[in-house]
Amino acid sequence: MTLEFIGISVLWLFLFGYIMIGSIDFGAGFFNAYGTFTGKQHILNKIIQRYLSPVWEITNVFLVFFFVGIVGFFPQTAYYYGTTLLVPASIAIILLAIRGAYYAFTTYGGLDKRFTYIYGLAGLIIPASLSIVLTISEGGFVAIEESGPVLDYWGLFTSPLTWSIVVLSLTAVLYISAVFLTWYANLAKDEPATNLLRKYALFWALPSIVTATGIIIELRTHNFLHYQRLIDVWWMFGVSFILFLGTVFLILKRRSYGLAFILLIGQFLLAFFGYGVSHYPYLLYPYLTIYDSFTNKAMAIALIFAFIAGLALLIPSLILVLKLFVFNKEYVQGKRNDHA
Amino acid sequence: MSNSESVFFSRVLTELTLSFHIIYATIGVGIPLMIMIAQWVGIKKQDKHYILLARRWTRGFVITVAVGVVTGTAIGLQLSLLWPNFMSLAGNVIALPLFMETFAFFLEAIFLGIYLYTWDRFENQKKHLLLLIPVAIGASFSAVFITIVNAFMNAPRGFDIENGQLVNIDPLLSMFNPAMPSKVSHVLATSYMTSAFVLASIGAFRLLKGSDHIYHKKGLYLMMKLGLIFSIASALIGDFSGKYLAEHQPVKLAAAEWHFETKTGAPILMFGILDDGEVKYAIKVPYGLSYLSHSDLDAEVIGLNEFPEDEWPPLYIHYLFDSMVMIGMWMVLLSLMYVLGLWRKWRFVMSKTYKWLIVLGGPLSIIAIEAGWWLTEVGRQPWVLRGIQRTEDAATTSGQVDTMLLLFAGLYLILGIGSAVVLIRMFRNNPVEQELADRTAEEEGVRL
């Protein structure tokens, strides 16, 4: 196994981590806003607040980790992506900033709850603006001119592939979030919340799987090489689909929501890595592969060491968080009031 | 938009983001230590007031952390968005400290969440104190690693250059570069100092505005003592930084001191203005610069004229240098008089005027932080990577930087006003008297 491969796998794993916990976070914000809009806020509010409060900061770190890691392992990505992504990434940063700050302001500072709507909507636009990176990486939207890489905005915004990926990111966010929160509400023995979230989960299951399949078909015309490589690992998507059916079945039958969520993680993990493996070795088709952009060997080894040492510190800490909050029965059920 | 405009707007946007972020980042580094000390003093003295100090500071701290985190994320991404050529060149070398910074940040984020939500979970306050240690360590180490990156940009080493690429990289050698020890220690000491004076300033303000509670007096005294220690430390380390500059970056020191001709026994200039290359109205301290540079009154100090003019930093950095040093000295004096005064029972330190001076001390310290960073960053111009890459070659070629600048300026305005409003309301709506009464009532089992 090459260092390049280890590097991209580590980063891909962290991106996956961000997508999962970020989705829960973004989706929760949206359901909260939607609940306020339909007058059902009292049902969901407590559950969502109890989950998010101790972990909102951690979610953000996963993102920082990914983008620091990618320029660390693959400095050339800064040249290509840094130049082309100025506008979409800046918009994403601004939305993330408003969203993160106002979460803290409303939760700890008692700021007006009117911001619930902004918060909910920002949570949907962020995944959309970030997912544009995935579209760009397929190639066809970046031209290399004398001054440097230039992004073709018109081409990007009129491409069906862009919009399919945006829709996928939205539906996936809502689906992942709803499944997790159903389980979490059930742990909290909060029946009305469980029922409501279960409905959301079932509602978003179909659109998310339909758009995911649609993208595979669109790649056939957009980037045939990638499409072929996707077909080569068809079994990963097959197993992923079976896991998806398992999740939906369990939620329909109101059984073992915990297992349903684990199956969902498996489903997305397989699909995400299937997509990643088939994209290999390109970071930006056809200009940038993981080989020509890789950092020097000494730095790569140092980064991998730092990564291992960092994980040795983080994993026990994260387990502690899960034990104290997410999996602490009394906390989840709201029987503890440890003040903030 | 032409390329030189991109460079200009990229510089303005980076400066704006960093200047805004630094306010929250400095507090973010220092306050966890102050919270930890208050909690520890509270346990040692069995004094509830200190524990309450820790608790109330933490609540305010969360708001500043939130702004610090989001603006920190912004600058992290802007590095690649605005300076892609710099990152693709130097990313090979600075990746390790950047990466380690995210780990430190991670550690802080995890334990701050735990600390906040376990206030009343542990009977034993010592256990709760233990949770603060990783928060404070994480906060300080983020500053250490990120300052290492900045030190590297001032004193790049640990690589060879072949065909415009950095090769044969030694990650550790580049991290432990000559600028690193003085920079890191100065950043830490001034962050602790600023945080202590900001907290002191809040305490003094409450005392002036009606509350006469012993709680505020204890907090104020503790913070002035810590502020004194850290401001003296900052001044001493500042002196090392001067010596570092004289040896490794003489052009920055010469520009900051308007020192044109190489001289032995060089004087230091305070204040003054520069008019057509003539220094006017400055106070000269004979031999000062030689002493600052080499601890030797007769030492030779290299002047600006030894360097090609297109490598000179802008000469206005002298004003920044003056502001930083003057505020630092003033804060040492102010806290020293206060601590001595309380001990010797001097009347004037109890006066309203003196308390107003302390109130002013917090914002002044923050101004000194800003001035210091502008000095160090502008003083490095025209280089982004000193001696290797010029700033104009590092910037993005994108034509939309001016629009982004407007967007981000709007964002910082909203965040700045939002955080101030929230912080003020938070403490005004729940004064310490109220909280003490509530807690006593709760402990006695009387539910309100």
Side-chain angles (χ1 to χ4, degrees):
Chain A
M1 196 150 48
T2 59
L3 285 172
E4 288 88 343
F5 194 76
I6 297 176
I8 196 70
S9 308
V10 162
L11 293 173
W12 204 239
L13 195 67
F14 258 80
L15 187 59
F16 178 73
Y18 179 66
I19 286 177
M20 294 310 279
I21 61 171
S23 293
I24 294 172
D25 186 351
F26 295 135
F30 176 77
F31 290 134
N32 205 18
Y34 182 70
T36 312
F37 185 69
T38 53
K40 288 175 182 160
Q41 206 230 8
H42 55 282
I43 306 179
L44 296 180
N45 189 23
K46 275 188 196 144
I47 286 294
I48 289 175
Q49 207 77 318
R50 228 176 276 152
Y51 165 74
L52 283 183
S53 296
V55 300
W56 64 275
E57 246 192 301
I58 301 176
T59 313
N60 207 46
V61 189
F62 274 84
L63 176 67
V64 176
F65 198 100
F66 175 74
F67 70 68
V68 168
I70 194 148
V71 283
F73 277 106
F74 306 99
Q76 284 302 317
T77 53
Y79 176 70
Y80 287 93
Y81 281 110
T83 312
T84 47
L85 287 178
L86 179 70
V87 176
S90 294
I91 291 172
I93 302 171
I94 288 172
L95 291 170
L96 271 174
I98 291 182
R99 196 175 177 277
Y102 277 100
Y103 179 76
F105 291 178
T106 47
T107 311
Y108 306 101
L111 196 74
D112 209 301
K113 299 276 181 206
R114 270 177 306 181
F115 293 103
T116 317
Y117 294 115
I118 302 176
Y119 185 73
L121 281 179
L124 287 190
I125 304 173
I126 293 165
S129 62
L130 289 177
S131 64
I132 285 182
V133 183
L134 290 181
T135 324
I136 294 174
S137 76
E138 292 299 336
F141 303 109
V142 174
I144 305 294
E145 291 178 7
E146 203 185 330
S147 60
V150 175
L151 185 62
D152 171 12
Y153 283 96
W154 177 252
L156 185 66
F157 284 110
T158 51
S159 158
L161 183 67
T162 312
W163 294 104
S164 315
I165 290 182
V166 167
V167 174
L168 175 66
S169 74
L170 292 186
T171 50
V173 157
L174 295 172
Y175 175 58
I176 292 170
S177 185
V179 173
F180 174 82
L181 289 171
T182 307
W183 172 48
Y184 194 72
N186 188 52
L187 276 184
K189 296 207 167 79
D190 186 338
E191 216 168 303
T194 315
N195 287 333
L196 188 60
L197 288 160
R198 177 178 162 270
K199 268 187 218 151
Y200 292 159
L202 292 174
F203 180 82
W204 289 107
L206 191 64
S208 76
I209 202 79
V210 169
T211 42
T213 320
I215 284 166
I216 298 181
I217 296 165
E218 271 168 51
L219 275 179
R220 199 185 140 92
T221 48
H222 189 88
N223 181 341
F224 191 70
L225 183 71
H226 191 182
Y227 171 76
Q228 275 182 320
R229 297 193 52 119
L230 273 171
I231 301 302
D232 287 344
V233 288
W234 65 272
W235 59 270
M236 291 178 91
F237 297 98
V239 178
S240 172
F241 184 70
I242 293 168
L243 294 176
F244 165 77
L245 292 180
T247 309
V248 175
F249 176 78
L250 288 173
I251 290 180
L252 262 179
K253 293 279 168 194
R254 298 175 194 275
R255 266 200 310 218
S256 355
Y257 293 125
L259 181 63
F261 183 65
I262 292 169
L263 294 183
L264 174 127
I265 294 180
Q267 175 208 335
F268 278 89
L269 191 72
L270 277 168
F272 194 69
F273 273 80
Y275 174 83
V277 166
S278 59
H279 207 290
Y280 175 86
Y282 288 101
L283 288 170
L284 174 62
Y285 183 83
Y287 302 113
L288 198 64
T289 69
I290 63 171
Y291 297 102
D292 49 18
S293 63
F294 198 55
T295 188
N296 59 88
K297 201 174 167 201
M299 182 49 81
I301 292 169
L303 285 179
I304 289 169
F305 268 107
F307 179 74
I308 293 168
L311 277 192
L313 203 67
L314 293 184
I315 290 176
S317 316
L318 280 173
I319 291 173
L320 185 63
V321 171
L322 292 178
K323 269 192 155 170
L324 284 171
F325 303 109
V326 182
F327 295 116
N328 184 297
K329 267 214 173 114
E330 286 189 6
Y331 176 82
V332 175
Q333 295 175 5
K335 287 180 189 157
R336 295 200 67 95
N337 176 14
D338 293 313
H339 301 87
Chain B
M1 191 157 68
S2 71
N3 191 42
S4 65
E5 277 181 315
S6 299
V7 175
F8 174 75
F9 286 116
S10 297
R11 289 184 60 183
V12 176
L13 179 48
T14 308
E15 178 164 7
L16 181 69
T17 304
L18 277 173
S19 301
F20 187 73
H21 175 64
I22 272 167
I23 300 173
Y24 295 87
T26 303
I27 295 174
V29 171
I31 288 194
L33 185 75
M34 304 304 145
I35 296 172
M36 195 172 98
I37 292 174
Q39 177 101 3
W40 177 69
V41 172
I43 292 169
K44 217 182 62 173
K45 290 193 173 170
Q46 288 296 312
D47 186 334
K48 267 197 293 196
H49 287 144
Y50 288 101
I51 306 264
L52 191 61
L53 268 175
R55 180 171 192 159
R56 288 173 66 89
W57 285 344
T58 309
R59 250 185 255 144
F61 179 60
V62 179
I63 302 295
T64 61
V65 164
V67 180
V69 167
V70 297
T71 51
T73 310
I75 189 64
L77 264 164
Q78 279 177 359
L79 270 184
S80 301
L81 296 175
L82 298 175
W83 309 100
N85 297 312
F86 164 70
M87 285 305 278
S88 58
L89 177 76
N92 286 302
V93 196
I94 57 174
L96 184 62
L98 275 179
F99 206 57
M100 284 156 86
E101 198 264 351
T102 58
F103 279 117
F105 171 36
F106 218 143
L107 190 71
E108 183 191 353
I110 289 177
F111 280 91
L112 183 64
I114 299 180
Y115 178 73
L116 267 177
Y117 283 89
T118 51
W119 266 110
D120 294 325
R121 202 181 279 201
F122 305 113
E123 283 294 309
N124 187 346
Q125 278 292 327
K126 276 185 195 155
K127 276 192 193 165
H128 204 213
L129 175 66
L130 286 181
L131 292 173
L132 273 173
I133 296 172
V135 180
I137 290 179
S140 291
F141 270 84
S142 319
V144 169
F145 290 125
I146 213 69
T147 311
I148 287 178
V149 174
N150 182 270
F152 171 80
M153 291 159 80
N154 277 279
R157 74 159 187 196
F159 56 85
D160 298 320
I161 303 178
E162 262 174 37
N163 303 326
Q165 295 291 313
L166 307 189
V167 294
N168 298 336
I169 284 151
D170 184 339
L172 290 179
L173 194 68
S174 69
M175 279 177 69
F176 294 94
N177 57 66
M180 177 256 182
S182 57
K183 246 186 206 291
V184 166
S185 49
H186 196 59
V187 164
L188 286 180
T190 51
S191 295
Y192 300 147
M193 162 188 160
T194 305
S195 305
F197 286 135
V198 165
L199 293 171
S201 146
I202 295 170
F205 187 76
R206 287 309 305 155
L207 285 172
L208 279 166
K209 286 287 160 186
S211 171
D212 196 29
H213 204 281
I214 183 80
Y215 162 91
H216 295 301
K217 289 184 183 158
K218 285 177 182 169
L220 177 59
Y221 187 44
L222 179 66
M223 284 305 106
M224 288 303 271
K225 273 194 288 189
L226 289 171
L228 175 63
I229 296 169
F230 288 119
S231 55
I232 292 175
S234 306
L236 289 177
I237 299 162
D239 182 55
F240 296 144
S241 308
K243 292 181 176 32
Y244 158 79
L245 285 182
E247 195 178 335
H248 296 274
Q249 239 173 313
V251 65
K252 190 194 262 185
L253 186 68
E257 269 305 314
W258 293 342
H259 179 65
F260 295 96
E261 300 293 332
T262 301
K263 256 191 239 169
T264 55
I268 206 164
L269 298 184
M270 282 170 10
F271 314 110
I273 54 166
L274 195 64
D275 186 19
D276 255 351
E278 289 278 315
V279 180
K280 288 185 182 162
Y281 315 117
I283 303 171
K284 276 191 187 180
V285 180
Y287 308 107
L289 192 59
S290 289
Y291 190 80
L292 177 75
S293 310
H294 302 286
S295 305
D296 173 3
L297 295 177
D298 290 320
E300 185 183 76
V301 183
I302 303 172
L304 260 183
N305 292 343
E306 309 286 323
F307 302 92
E309 211 159 317
D310 70 337
E311 287 184 15
W312 287 14
L315 293 177
Y316 70 78
I317 60 173
H318 175 72
Y319 305 114
L320 301 171
F321 186 65
D322 273 351
S323 317
M324 173 184 80
V325 173
M326 283 304 126
I327 293 174
M329 290 298 151
W330 166 246
M331 292 313 295
V332 171
L333 190 71
L334 188 77
S335 51
L336 181 69
M337 297 306 272
Y338 187 78
V339 173
L340 277 181
L342 281 190
W343 177 47
R344 309 286 313 204
K345 301 210 166 27
W346 292 340
R347 265 279 173 77
F348 74 95
V349 299
M350 319 281 188
S351 69
K352 276 200 165 180
T353 322
Y354 207 87
K355 289 210 179 68
W356 276 115
L357 291 178
I358 296 176
V359 172
L360 209 63
L364 271 182
S365 307
I366 289 176
I367 291 174
I369 292 278
E370 297 280 3
W373 272 113
W374 291 330
L375 164 70
T376 191
E377 293 305 275
V378 177
R380 172 161 54 97
Q381 294 309 320
W383 303 105
V384 62
L385 210 51
R386 200 174 62 86
I388 295 168
Q389 190 175 45
R390 280 181 176 255
T391 309
E392 65 256 30
D393 301 325
T396 179
T397 49
S398 169
Q400 285 103 355
V401 191
D402 48 351
T403 321
M404 297 302 114
L405 173 63
L406 286 179
L407 281 179
F408 277 100
L411 171 71
Y412 302 144
L413 193 70
I414 293 174
L415 291 182
I417 295 174
S419 57
V421 168
V422 166
L423 281 172
I424 292 169
R425 277 199 355 192
M426 196 171 186
F427 290 99
R428 193 171 281 163
N429 293 347
N430 184 18
V432 68
E433 290 82 358
Q434 180 70 43
E435 187 162 357
L436 276 169
D438 288 352
R439 287 189 70 75
T440 319
E442 209 169 288
E443 275 160 27
E444 284 165 2
V446 185
R447 297 284 162 205
L448 290 174

